[in-house]
Amino acid sequence: MPVAVLTDSTAYLPPDLAERYGIHVVPLYVVLAGHSGREGEDISSEDVARALSSRGQRVSTSRPTPGDFVAAYRAALDAGADRLVSVHLSAELSGTWDAARVAASQVGEHIVSVVDSRSAAMGTGFAVLAAARAAAGGADLDTVARVAREAAARTRTLFVVDTLEHLRRGGRIGSAAAVFGSALAVKPVLHVVDGRVVPLEKVRTSARAFNRLVQHVVELAGERQVSLAVHHLAAAERAERLVTELRERVPGLCELHVSELGAAIGAHVGPGAVGVVVSHVAPGTAPPSGGEQPPGE
């Protein structure tokens, strides 16, 4: 009884891994200059970064429709799957999980298990990868869904932004708006807690925020085995510095992925944002290294 794994485009999975494990990706929609397009297919990270850097340009996002998910579910079933596990970004941040759940009720809830990762970007992606690896090993529907939830619970997502304005406009900073009020010039370190974006620490400069981001990741990782993902939007040099420091300072690093944020998340964090996802490896397991980016490359 093969199980297929699906997710949405905000997981920002490395394309080679999605292909290797046969992971189906359903794109969110991004509205740019009055035009709606699919993330990663019609509208790129560069498009969003350029628009957000231009005064007066607004970018918004919308979830996939239940029909989009129904089509993806049926395609996976037609391709040979008997059961489906659909893992998505936090329901606190988007209606994507709800759209997937509606679609699952139409296809059959005994066939599709929908998982709320309570995270975003590779905070979702690592849960998807864990689920896909379990499915590849022959696990059944309930086990694959449980593995996804457990992997998501072992994951922490931290990031810094140049300005809170994009998050504020999109209503994605939750209590951070109340904490920082009108002081949008500060450089906070933010993280995702219970599916919501909340402040972790307030600092005064970009350099200080970057250093504190690194320190928090190092402390979270400790001596344990971890997988890391570094994300950025129009900040490749800062991301590379982040990679260099983490490779030097995280002794238990098993795998490391680097990717630019796509349009849907990028629209809310803005150009200059960098972040790190920390995923603790379950005891007795280790991600396969073949074809993935090892710490020393």
Side-chain angles (χ1 to χ4, degrees), residues 28-67:
L28 272 72
Y29 293 95
V30 180
V31 180
L32 178 63
H35 170 70
S36 177
R38 292 165 295 182
E39 176 179 34
E41 298 178 18
D42 306 314
I43 297 179
S44 68
S45 303
E46 292 78 11
D47 294 332
V48 167
R50 189 181 308 112
L52 293 175
S53 298
S54 301
R55 181 170 298 182
Q57 287 272 17
R58 296 295 299 272
V59 181
S60 61
T61 61
S62 61
R63 68 182 188 178
T65 67

Side-chain angles (χ1 to χ4, degrees), residues 84-244:
L84 311 174
V85 173
S86 197
V87 186
H88 301 289
L89 80 162
S90 171
E92 297 283 351
L93 299 175
S94 169
T96 300
W97 174 85
D98 190 58
R101 187 177 57 81
V102 171
S105 69
Q106 296 176 15
V107 173
E109 293 182 342
H110 63 293
I111 295 175
V112 186
S113 179
V114 181
V115 176
D116 179 357
S117 73
R118 310 285 291 171
S119 190
M122 279 295 287
T124 302
F126 281 125
V128 174
L129 284 176
R133 287 164 177 159
D140 62 16
L141 176 71
D142 291 341
T143 301
V144 174
R146 174 178 55 78
V147 166
R149 293 187 182 96
E150 290 175 349
R154 294 192 304 271
T155 300
R156 293 284 302 278
T157 300
L158 306 93
F159 61 103
V160 296
V161 295
D162 274 351
T163 173
L164 284 170
E165 183 65 16
H166 303 297
L167 284 162
R168 184 189 65 80
R169 285 180 181 175
R172 296 311 199 276
I173 55 175
S175 61
V179 171
F180 293 110
S182 61
L184 296 177
V186 300
K187 305 296 182 183
V189 180
L190 303 161
H191 61 158
V192 179
V193 177
D194 293 330
R196 298 180 64 85
V197 176
V198 297
L200 176 61
E201 182 178 1
K202 180 175 66 176
V203 295
R204 293 295 182 185
T205 67
S206 294
R208 175 69 172 165
F210 181 93
N211 291 337
R212 291 301 295 155
L213 174 63
V214 172
Q215 186 60 40
H216 283 299
V217 172
V218 170
E219 291 172 358
L220 278 172
E223 300 294 323
R224 298 171 60 185
Q225 286 190 309
V226 294
S227 297
L228 299 180
V230 171
H231 292 302
H232 72 94
L233 181 64
E237 289 187 7
R238 296 180 73 193
E240 187 54 41
R241 284 176 48 216
L242 198 51
V243 167
T244 298

